[in-house]
Amino acid sequence: MTTILFHKPFGVLSQFTDARSPTERPTLSAYIDMPSVYPAGRLDRDSEGLLVLTDDGRLQARLTQPRSKTPKTYWAQVEGTPTPDQLTALQNGVTLKDGPTRPAKARLITPDVPPRDPPIRVRKSIPDAWIELTITEGRNRQVRRMCAHVGLPCLRLIRRSVGDWTLNDLPPGTWRHA
């Protein structure tokens, strides 16, 4: 069985082919030449960070099924300065259009992250901050929607860990065996 950890860069699709636009949008095949592995979960094209790929169907199911409650930790650069009330709301869970989220771990952080290409938009009149958010479910764009719900639009999103696996010092666009 093969399991690899990939640091997905911004703008890359979490799939090996793009039927819609095969020449314009980069996919995993630009970085990984291993036809037997598939992503265990997804990261949006505009998100970065850890993507676990495996040929083990049981592992893939364990990592992606909501009932397994696999923790996933994200670093979200948000517009504004989070208040204690906003962090508490994230910790308690918020109600989105598709229902309430499970409680999350949320705290302010000051991470050391590589620059993004292209860089995020910066507005001199509005500060930004980083939040570490750990969730145990994985709805579509959930972290972005949770942050927006409490008034903190997400400028940049990096998945730092899935279960016990972390990015550590894996540079964007590279992978290693788990």
Side-chain angles (χ1 to χ4, degrees), residues 5-9 48-51 114 158 167 170-175:
L5 308 178
F6 175 58
H7 187 156
K8 186 188 95 56
E48 312 162 59
L50 183 62
L51 192 61
I158 302 170
L167 278 178
L170 188 64
T174 63
W175 63 270

Side-chain angles (χ1 to χ4, degrees), residues 86 89-96 101-106 133-135 137 141-152:
Q86 289 169 313
L90 292 170
Q91 292 165 352
N92 291 335
V94 297
T95 301
L96 304 174
T101 65
R102 290 181 185 150
K105 294 179 183 175
L133 195 62
T134 301
I135 61 173
E137 53 191 340
R141 300 180 71 81
Q142 180 177 342
V143 171
R144 290 179 186 278
R145 293 188 300 138
M146 288 175 72
C147 290
H149 182 83
V150 299
L152 299 167

Side-chain angles (χ1 to χ4, degrees), residues 80-89 108 150 152:
T81 304
T83 65
D85 287 345
Q86 289 169 313
L87 291 174
T88 298
L108 282 171
V150 299
L152 299 167

